[in-house]
Amino acid sequence: MALISVVVPCLNEQEAIPYFYKAICETARSMSVTWPELDFEFIFIDDGSTDDTMSVIEGLRKDDKRVRFVSFSRNFGKEAALFAGLTYSRGDYLVTMDADMQDPPALLPDMYKAVTEEGYDSAATRRITRKGEPFIRSVFARAFYRLINRMSSADIVDGARDYRIMTRRMVDSILSMTEYNRFTKGIYGWIGFKTKWIEFENVERIAGETKWSFWKLFKYAIEGIIGFSTMPLSIATWFGLCMSLISFLGILFIIIKKLVYGDPTSGWSSLVCIMLLIAGIQLFCMGVIGQYLGKTYLESKKRPIFIAKKTSDDEER
Ligand code: UDP
Ligand code: MG
């Protein structure tokens, strides 16, 4: 027998979950026809929902013991929800996917084939269009991927979704990365393994609305850069070097001008501008260092990544 764990992070998804459950059961059924040895478990992570998500999940579990769940004590974010799903999973293979049907279950058979028959450790999906997404968001997303790939050694794929299947070995290596500031897209790139990429067209969510505001995405992008690159830390060094060089040339210029023409340099406003500029650059660099220091501070506290209020394992015990 082979067990597939499907991990689904849910934040206020009461409308979407019934559609999702129906679709994934359909896929599971058709896959068990092709591969009779297959078994499934569906792990829903309730990421501190304030609507009826939890009762919808418990309703599903009543009739289907393949449904398991972890309910967080508050909203810990999608990254924490994925981590919790990995922790609780028991499967030989693990699939992570969204509850809103933006990750088409129909791709699952191909993904399973990649890890069982084609010798891959993982099969991941990326969308090749961003249809239905606000224009400005697409522009920023593209810029972010270009930037982070230039700055970091972790290979981060543009348009990659968190929809992927992995072998147990890969799951265990992700679980061994217990960092508090999690950026899954970077973690996948960092741990390596052989990944097959499956492409599909963007699908719009079936019900409910997106949980990611522009600001939340922006902070997530900064998190990714700080988590997987130390290049911003060297900004101060380069700024400093350039500034010293420029001012050295400036001093030479003033001395020569004085010797040749004998007139003193005039104008204090230019001086004030230069001072303000340098002060600004210094503050900026201190801010960058502060960002890293802040993350280091949080890491050093070794707080848990999530806190579960209730899990389906409680009743099994
Ligand atoms: N999600 C979550 N915690 C959060 C934000 C989102 O568990 O803090 C879940 C959400 O329920 C969904 C998935 O992560 O299943 C993706 O979120 P969403 O569809 O809102 O993002 P988008 O597809 O618009 O990028
Ligand atoms: Mg979505």
Side-chain angles (χ1 to χ4, degrees):
M1 290 306 272
L3 179 66
I4 298 188
S5 306
V6 181
V7 169
V8 195
C10 306
L11 172 63
N12 299 339
E13 300 283 8
Q14 59 176 13
E15 289 104 8
I17 289 173
Y19 292 105
F20 171 79
Y21 176 71
K22 198 160 161 262
I24 195 74
C25 283
E26 195 52 53
T27 309
R29 200 163 28 239
S30 73
M31 283 177 75
S32 317
V33 175
T34 327
W35 296 283
E37 76 284 1
L38 264 190
D39 239 341
F40 280 83
E41 65 173 1
F42 310 118
I43 308 177
F44 291 90
I45 314 295
D46 162 36
D47 186 9
S49 300
T50 47
D51 65 357
D52 286 331
T53 298
M54 213 35 234
S55 43
V56 173
I57 297 171
E58 281 175 315
L60 295 178
R61 181 169 165 81
K62 229 172 249 143
D63 304 321
D64 184 352
K65 290 294 171 222
R66 294 178 301 174
V67 173
R68 298 174 63 211
F69 63 81
V70 178
S71 178
F72 285 180
S73 59
R74 65 167 169 87
N75 177 254
F76 279 88
K78 186 180 176 187
E79 296 291 339
L82 288 175
F83 184 79
L86 265 60
T87 312
Y88 277 82
S89 71
R90 301 165 175 161
D92 308 297
Y93 300 97
L94 185 137
V95 180
T96 53
M97 60 200 295
D98 290 357
D100 58 5
M101 298 288 290
Q102 281 190 299
D103 299 331
L107 296 177
L108 208 49
D110 277 344
M111 292 164 72
Y112 180 67
K113 217 186 280 166
V115 290
T116 50
E117 293 164 22
E118 296 166 18
Y120 289 96
D121 302 295
S122 164
T125 58
R126 61 181 287 255
R127 47 182 182 179
I128 45 176
T129 55
R130 286 181 173 272
K131 191 178 59 161
E133 201 183 55
F135 173 72
I136 186 90
R137 182 176 288 193
S138 308
V139 171
F140 271 92
R142 293 236 162 77
F144 165 70
Y145 282 110
R146 261 204 309 273
L147 186 70
I148 195 167
N149 276 317
R150 200 159 293 169
M151 289 168 60
S152 156
S153 58
D155 181 23
I156 294 160
V157 178
D158 185 3
R161 296 203 45 95
D162 289 332
Y163 180 25
R164 68 162 72 210
I165 188 167
M166 310 170 245
T167 57
R168 174 50 47 185
R169 182 156 295 225
M170 189 160 161
V171 171
D172 287 341
S173 54
I174 293 174
L175 285 175
S176 73
M177 296 178 79
T178 52
E179 59 213 71
Y180 180 76
N181 297 288
R182 300 188 77 77
F183 181 68
T184 315
K185 287 183 187 4
I187 290 179
Y188 290 138
W190 192 86
I191 57 172
F193 289 100
K194 210 170 136 202
T195 302
K196 178 176 182 174
W197 286 97
I198 295 173
E199 298 181 341
F200 70 100
E201 300 248 334
N202 192 31
V203 189
E204 290 188 42
R205 66 155 50 234
I206 191 155
E209 53 198 48
T210 178
K211 309 300 178 302
W212 295 87
S213 63
F214 186 81
W215 180 236
K216 214 169 156 189
L217 276 176
F218 183 75
K219 283 202 299 198
Y220 185 61
I222 298 284
E223 190 109 319
I225 291 175
I226 290 180
F228 282 86
S229 167
T230 49
M231 199 194 267
L233 278 178
S234 49
I235 285 177
T237 321
W238 291 111
F239 263 142
L241 264 180
C242 291
M243 279 294 166
S244 310
L245 198 73
I246 292 171
S247 56
F248 181 71
L249 292 178
I251 291 169
L252 272 186
F253 175 74
I254 290 169
I255 291 178
I256 292 172
K257 200 172 152 205
K258 164 105 183 157
L259 287 180
V260 176
Y261 298 104
D263 65 339
T265 334
S266 61
W268 65 276
S269 52
S270 56
L271 208 66
V272 169
C273 287
I274 293 170
M275 273 168 59
L276 282 181
L277 174 74
I278 294 177
I281 292 172
Q282 276 177 343
L283 274 182
F284 174 77
C285 293
M286 266 171 65
V288 171
I289 298 171
Q291 288 283 334
Y292 281 89
L293 186 66
K295 298 285 178 209
T296 315
Y297 174 60
L298 286 179
E299 290 293 347
S300 70
K301 289 190 178 197
K302 297 227 176 311
R303 284 188 182 154
I305 294 166
F306 65 90
I307 292 173
K309 181 171 67 182
K310 187 175 174 192
T311 78
S312 52
D313 291 0
D314 296 345
E315 49 192 88
E316 284 170 18
R317 256 181 236 125

